[in-house]
Amino acid sequence: MSKTSRGNFFEDFEIGQVIRHATPRTVTSGDHGLYTALYGSRFALQSSDAFARSLGYAHAPIDDLLTFHIVFGKTVPDISLNAVANLGYAGGRFLAPVFPGDTLSTVSEVIGKKENSNGKTGVVYVRSTGYTDSGTEVLDYVRWVMVNKRDAASPPPEPVVPDLPAALDPQSLGSAVPLLDTSNWDDDLAGSQFRFADYAVGEKIDHVDGMTVEEAEHQMATRLYQNTARVHFNQHTQAHSRFGHRLVYGGHVISIARALSFNGLGNAFHIAGINGGRHVGPLAAGDTVYAWSEVLDKVEMEGRTDVGALRLRLTATRNLPCADFPLKDGEGKYLDGIILDFDYWALMPT
Amino acid sequence: MSKTSRGNFFEDFEIGQVIRHATPRTVTSGDHGLYTALYGSRFALQSSDAFARSLGYAHAPIDDLLTFHIVFGKTVPDISLNAVANLGYAGGRFLAPVFPGDTLSTVSEVIGKKENSNGKTGVVYVRSTGYTDSGTEVLDYVRWVMVNKRDAASPPPEPVVPDLPAALDPQSLGSAVPLLDTSNWDDDLAGSQFRFADYAVGEKIDHVDGMTVEEAEHQMATRLYQNTARVHFNQHTQAHSRFGHRLVYGGHVISIARALSFNGLGNAFHIAGINGGRHVGPLAAGDTVYAWSEVLDKVEMEGRTDVGALRLRLTATRNLPCADFPLKDGEGKYLDGIILDFDYWALMPT
Amino acid sequence: MSKTSRGNFFEDFEIGQVIRHATPRTVTSGDHGLYTALYGSRFALQSSDAFARSLGYAHAPIDDLLTFHIVFGKTVPDISLNAVANLGYAGGRFLAPVFPGDTLSTVSEVIGKKENSNGKTGVVYVRSTGYTDSGTEVLDYVRWVMVNKRDAASPPPEPVVPDLPAALDPQSLGSAVPLLDTSNWDDDLAGSQFRFADYAVGEKIDHVDGMTVEEAEHQMATRLYQNTARVHFNQHTQAHSRFGHRLVYGGHVISIARALSFNGLGNAFHIAGINGGRHVGPLAAGDTVYAWSEVLDKVEMEGRTDVGALRLRLTATRNLPCADFPLKDGEGKYLDGIILDFDYWALMPT
């Protein structure tokens, strides 16, 4: 029996199977500092203990996407080492704040499985849950990946495709945010004069700035998350891939776009839920990421007057400024240069 | 009204205007670790809690320039997003030590404004003050930047140019350093056998080593400071600039040169004041930074025998070793390859 | 007398000489986070306070190699600034765990010296010891370097070559690991189902994955360790070297290979001793590192049933996958592409 894991293939997954992923991870202020250095995020709540305390937090929580990447990274060796593509996310809920000192682990359940018509690959659906060492669930989400079969001759399983919501009910969200004393919310320090009431459904916001990505940056980020997917790290083999180069971890793109979105959404301090996400195109080192957002919906939160929920569609592009909000062509196909289509609920003070 | 800030133009600044900048920032040991990784600084006081405690500090303060960069970075979105050039600094005073756990914010006052003769740009002078969440001022300094006008046709304002000292009085400095028990100062651990008495006015020191800069490094550094100036990050637009590439944040050069200066100034443990600084030329990734120092002055500190003040002129170069102390040509113009001319007061044990 | 150190030459070392190296260093969670970002290490003990506590540690210790690099880095300005080559290591013992908050310093003793027949260089042997500010020794090891003579005409010293063990007695090791409550050792979280009993002497393990190295990464790593060797940082001079480029710090290769070895040795949680190490060939940015291991020996630890000792030979390569375990040719010469031959004792739960 080989000591070395080469990852799971399509045949290895069974509906209902539960996988406890390796390497629990204590999040520290070191990770937080690296997150800032990698993305330059400027949301005040995550940046400042003093700002966080003034609102009712014990101190500053880590960035929601840092939680996401760490929880996600643990699943890679078991779920997607032989993935052809990371097809999508849905139903992601941020359930509790994460602070430096918390230890995160991830468990996944296989909830769907369907062979592709080519007989060589299949789609696997997993629900992954991140939790702290005290057992608090901090995040769960569904993702589905296209995975290679070990043997094209193995028979196709009975297809099981989970029923996934197009969008989460925002009333089910927000548990990662304590009831805030927003009388202390300081718009100057937060960096935006615009509150929940100032945004309109249908509004589009160009985030203006662009960020060029370097190999060392995306590799350091992806290793920080202990994500081991080979396409991100091995130029010796990637040189012979159809791309010819390493691929940037899709989550790195989400974090860049989210950080860029501060310019226009400075008070959208928390990602409460991920309705869906799709990595539409690859990103390579040397490319410059731009982003724009559209307000898809806005909802008052039942039982709390401190914050409201904005449903935002965050589009990221590659070498394509977003002043004219590029997305799809007349036939509904994504335009060249679109790399991310990400739909989430953000909370914003009222 | 646009949700997105495109920064202020020359017309937007008024004398006496006070700007509270966004994104307070809790400094952590993560930032400290990154600072070490980015510059390799070896000054013992900032590197070792044990060394710091032996002298009378509670524990190791962060590097003075890390404080400077964080305080400075906050001003960029409001002051210099449309800057053509960062022209200079003066009157910088380090007022209190900063420790991991402190939260830093910045406020700026516009103290000068003068349109240029071309009618398209003007110079804006601001005094920026960094302070902790408990209200302690840790740094103030003046900088002036050349900013684009929004409209070349707008009339020039009455020129106001502040009176700036050529050099700070060292007796006004040193409040960031407690009275030290220098009987515990260990030259071996500090890395230098040379104390205050060993340096002579006029002495020149070649710091010998060179440090090559990479895109990922200067971007990570600049994002760590939450500095958003576009020229540092966007190769997609910089490719069409007169440089053709991203520009390295000038403060990154100061930190590299300061770290190199350890070789020859290992006991110059603290930057007490910045008399002036000029970014003489641009730096690009791939370039190698060298540095040399000249002792401009040395002054005993009134009321304290633990430390003395050395006024140092730190010159940094690009791809130009400094064995012959390069600076200006016979006509007083900076030589090709000079990128930084930085004048500061350092404290050193007696 | 020059303020600037240009490092020691062969003539400057004397048998019995003790050198207290500069810049004590408090290790923090920032350093730990950077180590993860630089290597993506996934060993559970170092990654998780909760996992560590469940076994009997106060909390997670830092990676053994981070200790090694920090202790080693301090010796560079005094020992190897003028080194032609870092020839080897032997007799390295990890004596106590290191935790964030500990301050590390290094002292070295010159234990051997022998001029080379060319009369221009010589080999210097030093035993370096890292210790905390409370005086606890955490690591000692011997290394030998080839150093330039200042003056080829200076007479050769009486040769002294220390007697170095080919391998450490594993019974002398393990003091950095408290007696573990391995009933709590969770193989799922640890990432491997294989314990001490599952490995056989002679067994070879290909670690499969490759990691491509970037300039920014190895420079940040090497500066993090405050290692100042010029060949790693100065492209302006390295362009004219026989390599034409910067050389990656050999310790960076050890850490990459160790992190890769998780795939196959996930339960080898601790490096207890370094029997020997040789940097067989140089590594440059852009190269991809692969690794494989051979089990050279396995020994039960006297007086403890929690862990056993595996003697492992870790081979790292450059752009050379390791499925066929490449090492030496028929004449005993290392194959092209071999860059590291590292022999160590690892501890693994029984």
Side-chain angles (χ1 to χ4, degrees), chain C:
Chain C
M1 185 173 177
S2 170
K3 295 292 191 311
T4 309
S5 167
R6 290 177 185 265
N8 289 313
F9 290 86
F10 183 68
E11 293 91 330
D12 300 323
F13 295 97
E14 287 175 52
I15 302 294
Q17 179 184 1
V18 172
I19 302 172
R20 296 175 69 233
H21 302 293
T23 314
R25 174 85 147 79
T26 303
V27 182
T28 71
S29 59
D31 303 313
H32 189 75
L34 272 157
Y35 195 86
T36 305
L38 288 163
Y39 306 110
S41 186
R42 291 182 285 148
F43 294 96
L45 174 68
Q46 289 79 13
S47 181
S48 167
D49 283 336
F51 190 90
R53 277 192 302 258
S54 76
L55 299 172
Y57 285 85
H59 45 96
I62 67 167
D63 196 283
D64 302 307
L65 291 173
L66 177 53
T67 300
F68 178 81
H69 299 320
I70 289 176
V71 169
F72 179 98
K74 298 189 188 321
T75 69
V76 169
D78 299 314
I79 304 298
S80 51
L81 212 59
N82 297 305
V84 182
N86 194 21
L87 297 173
Y89 315 98
R93 304 180 301 158
F94 289 87
L95 300 166
V98 178
F99 299 103
D102 287 342
T103 297
L104 300 179
S105 297
T106 309
V107 65
S108 294
E109 182 181 354
V110 180
I111 60 169
K113 189 174 172 182
K114 181 172 187 299
E115 183 163 312
N116 286 325
S117 55
N118 63 16
K120 296 178 186 168
T121 58
V123 178
V124 175
Y125 298 77
V126 296
R127 180 183 307 277
S128 299
T129 304
Y131 58 95
T132 69
D133 55 308
S134 60
T136 304
E137 296 190 357
V138 297
L139 168 67
D140 67 2
Y141 67 93
V142 173
R143 75 162 165 145
W144 52 106
V145 290
M146 193 190 301
V147 181
N148 281 315
K149 290 177 69 178
R150 179 178 281 112
D151 177 5
S154 59
E158 190 67 29
V160 176
V161 175
D163 192 28
L164 296 171
L168 290 155
D169 177 356
Q171 306 305 346
S172 71
L173 304 175
S175 57
V177 176
L179 211 57
L180 302 183
D181 181 359
T182 50
S183 65
N184 285 329
W185 190 278
D186 185 320
D187 286 335
D188 283 353
L189 293 183
S192 172
Q193 306 304 316
F194 303 103
R195 298 286 188 96
F196 181 68
D198 300 314
Y199 291 83
V201 174
E203 183 174 358
K204 294 178 179 182
I205 303 164
D206 171 20
H207 301 304
V208 183
D209 296 314
M211 183 61 69
T212 305
V213 175
E214 299 295 323
E215 300 280 13
E217 293 169 1
H218 79 82
Q219 292 199 150
M220 288 183 70
T222 310
R223 284 187 300 245
L224 184 69
Y225 315 138
Q226 296 170 312
N227 176 329
T228 58
R230 290 158 185 163
V231 293
H232 308 318
F233 298 118
N234 188 331
Q235 182 57 30
H236 187 244
T237 53
Q238 285 300 111
H240 308 290
S241 72
R242 67 190 172 101
F243 299 102
H245 55 73
R246 281 162 280 178
L247 301 181
V248 174
Y249 162 50
H252 194 63
V253 175
I254 301 174
S255 281
I256 293 172
R258 165 77 175 156
L260 292 173
S261 80
F262 179 86
N263 193 353
L265 289 165
N267 279 333
F269 69 96
H270 172 59
I271 298 180
I274 297 172
N275 296 311
R278 238 185 107 179
H279 297 296
V280 176
L283 183 75
D287 288 340
T288 300
V289 176
Y290 294 89
W292 66 276
S293 293
E294 179 176 359
V295 181
L296 297 183
D297 200 358
K298 56 182 292 192
V299 177
E300 293 181 14
M301 299 289 282
E302 288 165 14
R304 61 193 300 175
T305 57
D306 54 340
V307 295
L310 287 183
R311 184 176 170 192
L312 297 166
R313 182 184 202 167
L314 176 61
T315 301
T317 69
R318 174 183 62 218
N319 306 323
L320 183 65
C322 294
D324 59 353
F325 313 117
L327 189 61
K328 294 187 179 178
D329 65 17
E331 296 171 10
K333 285 183 53 181
Y334 286 104
L335 294 169
D336 258 12
I338 307 296
I339 57 176
L340 174 73
D341 188 356
F342 191 73
D343 178 341
Y344 70 105
W345 285 107
L347 298 193
M348 192 178 272
T350 54

Side-chain angles (χ1 to χ4, degrees), chain B:
Chain B
M1 185 173 177
S2 169
K3 295 293 192 311
T4 309
S5 167
R6 289 178 186 263
N8 289 312
F9 289 87
F10 183 67
E11 294 91 330
D12 300 323
F13 295 96
E14 287 174 52
I15 302 294
Q17 181 184 358
V18 171
I19 302 172
R20 297 175 69 233
H21 301 293
T23 313
R25 173 86 146 79
T26 304
V27 182
T28 70
S29 59
D31 303 312
H32 189 76
L34 273 157
Y35 195 86
T36 305
L38 289 164
Y39 306 110
S41 187
R42 290 183 285 148
F43 293 96
L45 175 69
Q46 288 80 13
S47 180
S48 166
D49 283 335
F51 191 90
R53 277 193 301 260
S54 76
L55 299 171
Y57 285 84
H59 45 95
I62 67 167
D63 195 285
D64 302 306
L65 291 173
L66 177 53
T67 300
F68 178 81
H69 298 321
I70 290 176
V71 168
F72 179 98
K74 299 190 186 320
T75 69
V76 169
D78 299 314
I79 306 297
S80 51
L81 213 57
N82 296 305
V84 182
N86 195 20
L87 298 174
Y89 316 96
R93 303 179 304 158
F94 289 85
L95 300 165
V98 178
F99 299 102
D102 287 341
T103 297
L104 299 179
S105 296
T106 309
V107 64
S108 295
E109 182 181 354
V110 180
I111 60 168
K113 189 174 172 182
K114 183 173 185 297
E115 184 163 311
N116 286 325
S117 53
N118 65 14
K120 297 179 184 165
T121 58
V123 178
V124 175
Y125 298 77
V126 295
R127 181 182 308 276
S128 298
T129 305
Y131 58 95
T132 69
D133 56 309
S134 61
T136 304
E137 296 189 358
V138 298
L139 168 66
D140 67 2
Y141 66 93
V142 174
R143 76 162 166 144
W144 52 106
V145 291
M146 193 189 302
V147 181
N148 281 314
K149 290 177 70 178
R150 179 178 282 111
D151 177 5
S154 60
E158 191 67 29
V160 176
V161 175
D163 192 27
L164 297 170
L168 290 156
D169 177 356
Q171 305 307 345
S172 72
L173 304 174
S175 57
V177 177
L179 210 57
L180 302 182
D181 182 358
T182 49
S183 65
N184 285 330
W185 190 279
D186 185 321
D187 287 335
D188 282 353
L189 293 183
S192 171
Q193 306 303 316
F194 304 102
R195 299 286 188 96
F196 181 67
D198 299 314
Y199 290 85
V201 174
E203 183 173 357
K204 295 178 178 181
I205 303 165
D206 171 22
H207 301 305
V208 182
D209 297 315
M211 182 61 69
T212 304
V213 175
E214 297 296 322
E215 300 281 14
E217 294 169 359
H218 79 83
Q219 292 200 149
M220 288 184 70
T222 310
R223 284 188 301 247
L224 184 69
Y225 315 138
Q226 295 170 313
N227 177 330
T228 59
R230 291 157 184 162
V231 293
H232 308 318
F233 298 118
N234 188 329
Q235 181 57 29
H236 187 243
T237 53
Q238 285 301 111
H240 307 291
S241 72
R242 68 188 169 102
F243 298 103
H245 55 72
R246 281 162 280 178
L247 302 181
V248 173
Y249 161 49
H252 195 62
V253 175
I254 301 175
S255 281
I256 294 172
R258 166 76 174 156
L260 291 173
S261 79
F262 180 86
N263 193 352
L265 289 165
N267 279 333
F269 69 95
H270 172 59
I271 298 180
I274 297 173
N275 296 311
R278 239 183 107 179
H279 297 295
V280 176
L283 184 76
D287 288 338
T288 299
V289 176
Y290 294 90
W292 65 277
S293 293
E294 179 178 357
V295 181
L296 297 183
D297 200 359
K298 56 182 291 191
V299 176
E300 292 182 16
M301 300 290 281
E302 289 167 13
R304 60 193 298 175
T305 56
D306 54 340
V307 294
L310 286 184
R311 184 174 170 193
L312 297 166
R313 182 181 201 168
L314 177 61
T315 301
T317 68
R318 175 183 62 217
N319 305 324
L320 183 65
C322 294
D324 57 355
F325 313 116
L327 189 60
K328 295 186 178 178
D329 64 15
E331 297 173 8
K333 286 182 54 180
Y334 286 104
L335 294 170
D336 259 12
I338 305 296
I339 57 175
L340 174 73
D341 187 356
F342 190 73
D343 178 341
Y344 70 105
W345 286 106
L347 299 192
M348 192 178 271
T350 53

Side-chain angles (χ1 to χ4, degrees), chain A residues 193-261:
Chain A
Q193 306 304 315
F194 303 103
R195 299 287 187 95
F196 181 66
D198 300 314
Y199 290 83
V201 175
E203 183 174 357
K204 294 178 179 180
I205 302 164
D206 170 21
H207 301 305
V208 182
D209 296 314
M211 183 60 69
T212 304
V213 174
E214 298 295 323
E215 300 282 14
E217 295 169 359
H218 79 83
Q219 292 200 150
M220 288 183 71
T222 309
R223 285 188 300 244
L224 184 69
Y225 315 138
Q226 295 169 315
N227 176 330
T228 58
R230 290 157 185 163
V231 293
H232 308 317
F233 297 117
N234 187 331
Q235 181 57 30
H236 187 244
T237 54
Q238 285 301 111
H240 308 290
S241 72
R242 65 188 172 102
F243 299 102
H245 55 73
R246 281 162 281 179
L247 302 180
V248 174
Y249 162 49
H252 194 63
V253 175
I254 301 174
S255 281
I256 293 172
R258 165 75 175 158
L260 291 174
S261 80

Side-chain angles (χ1 to χ4, degrees), chain A residues 264-311:
Chain A
L265 290 164
N267 279 332
F269 68 95
H270 171 58
I271 297 179
I274 297 172
N275 296 311
R278 239 184 106 179
H279 297 296
V280 176
L283 183 75
D287 288 340
T288 300
V289 176
Y290 293 91
W292 66 275
S293 292
E294 179 177 359
V295 181
L296 296 182
D297 201 358
K298 56 182 290 190
V299 177
E300 292 181 14
M301 299 290 280
E302 288 166 13
R304 60 192 301 176
T305 56
D306 55 339
V307 294
L310 286 183
R311 185 175 170 194

